[in-house]
Amino acid sequence: MTVINAPATALRQPFFKKPSILPGFGLTLGFTLSYLGVLVLLPLAALVVKAGGLGWVGFWTAVTSPRVLAAFQVSFGLSFVAALVNAVFGFLVAWVLVRYDFPGRRLVDALVDLPFALPTAVAGIALSALYAPNGWVGKPLNDLFGLKVAFTPIGIAVALTFIGLPFVVRTVQPILQDLPPEEEEAAASLGASRLQTFFSVIMPALLPALVTGFALSFARGVGEYGSVIFIAGNMPGLTEILPLLIVIKLEQYDYVGSAAVGTAMLLVSFLMLLVLNLLQQWMRSRHAR
């Protein structure tokens, strides 16, 4: 009987390891995990540990007080509303910028990124002056319709819509540009109307990107501070946002209480973003099939 000896190198190589085309996986993975650990995980862990000093009962009492619950409702509720508005109008802006050629298109495209570059405090001051009861927009709204925008929840929604719009536009725009026109032409040749082509061909391909833009806009709105405090009025129980409440607790030297509110805010945000990411993956897999 003949015994065939396998090469020693083959015996030493794990059977589950697949050769990589690109070298340096271990080094880059280690750098990535270290970078994220120091910049992201370590501060979040410190926040949770600080909040843990209250104990479970103290933590629950701190995050379920009427003032904190009202701030949760204001921040998350209005951020969700602003993200929905941005999902609709951000999609329309991206559609116009991609599908139509008109004078000043490049200028409009550049203006979309203005909330990224503009300091949030400057944006808050500008919006407050514009929508104040004696402002250029606030006064006609108040005189004609009796609608007060500044220093109300409506003003917070306006500010969150302003700072969240670029996330939807810049997420949907490249996907819309890369859509192959052959699919729309094939649908039209088969007798589909423009409305049927939009909902059956275009929209399924854009939905994952639209959900991503919605999630980014929502996440930015939940944590927004500078552009909101000037137009909100900051009335506890009505227009007080969570970031402002955390700052107030810090100014009162209630470090553990502010850490508890921040931890609860982190957990709720993580759960909502996790649900949105799962929904996005499901839509992508469904569209791929």
Side-chain angles (χ1 to χ4, degrees), residues 150-238:
F151 318 124
T152 66
I154 300 176
I156 299 177
V158 170
L160 296 181
T161 303
F162 172 79
I163 56 101
L165 178 65
F167 290 96
V168 178
V169 177
R170 294 311 183 208
T171 305
V172 174
Q173 189 175 2
I175 306 301
L176 191 58
Q177 288 174 338
D178 293 338
L179 282 180
E182 292 81 7
E183 295 182 0
E184 299 178 45
E185 294 172 358
S189 65
L190 292 175
S193 64
R194 291 186 177 181
L195 195 61
Q196 290 174 330
T197 302
F198 176 79
F199 284 105
S200 300
V201 177
I202 300 175
M203 204 59 189
L206 293 179
L207 267 180
L210 194 60
V211 172
T212 301
F214 171 86
L216 293 174
S217 177
F218 171 77
R220 172 66 189 274
V222 169
E224 181 59 25
Y225 177 78
S227 63
V228 176
I229 56 172
F230 294 101
I231 198 173
N234 307 323
M235 291 177 285
L238 182 61

Side-chain angles (χ1 to χ4, degrees), residues 40-204:
V40 179
L41 296 180
L42 189 60
L44 295 182
L47 177 67
V48 175
V49 170
K50 187 71 174 180
L54 287 172
W56 173 250
V57 177
F59 175 81
W60 184 256
T61 303
V63 300
T64 56
S65 65
R67 185 175 182 180
V68 174
L69 291 178
F72 263 98
Q73 184 177 2
V74 171
S75 290
F76 282 89
L78 294 179
S79 296
F80 188 82
V81 171
L84 282 179
V85 174
N86 282 329
V88 176
F89 291 98
F91 172 77
L92 292 177
V93 172
W95 181 272
V96 170
L97 291 176
V98 173
R99 292 301 177 104
Y100 302 104
D101 191 10
F102 55 92
R105 184 171 65 90
R106 294 184 180 274
L107 177 61
V108 175
D109 191 36
L111 288 176
V112 171
D113 293 327
L114 189 60
F116 283 151
L118 192 67
T120 55
V122 176
I125 294 173
L127 292 173
S128 300
L130 190 63
Y131 288 99
N134 59 347
W136 290 354
V137 179
K139 183 174 176 54
L141 290 176
N142 195 13
D143 295 341
L144 297 177
F145 306 103
L147 182 62
K148 186 178 180 182
V149 177
F151 318 124
T152 66
I154 300 176
I156 299 177
V158 170
L160 296 181
T161 303
F162 172 79
I163 56 101
L165 178 65
F167 290 96
V168 178
V169 177
R170 294 311 183 208
T171 305
V172 174
Q173 189 175 2
I175 306 301
L176 191 58
Q177 288 174 338
D178 293 338
L179 282 180
E182 292 81 7
E183 295 182 0
E184 299 178 45
E185 294 172 358
S189 65
L190 292 175
S193 64
R194 291 186 177 181
L195 195 61
Q196 290 174 330
T197 302
F198 176 79
F199 284 105
S200 300
V201 177
I202 300 175
M203 204 59 189

Side-chain angles (χ1 to χ4, degrees), residues 33-44:
L33 294 179
S34 302
Y35 186 81
L36 292 177
V38 172
L39 290 183
V40 179
L41 296 180
L42 189 60
L44 295 182

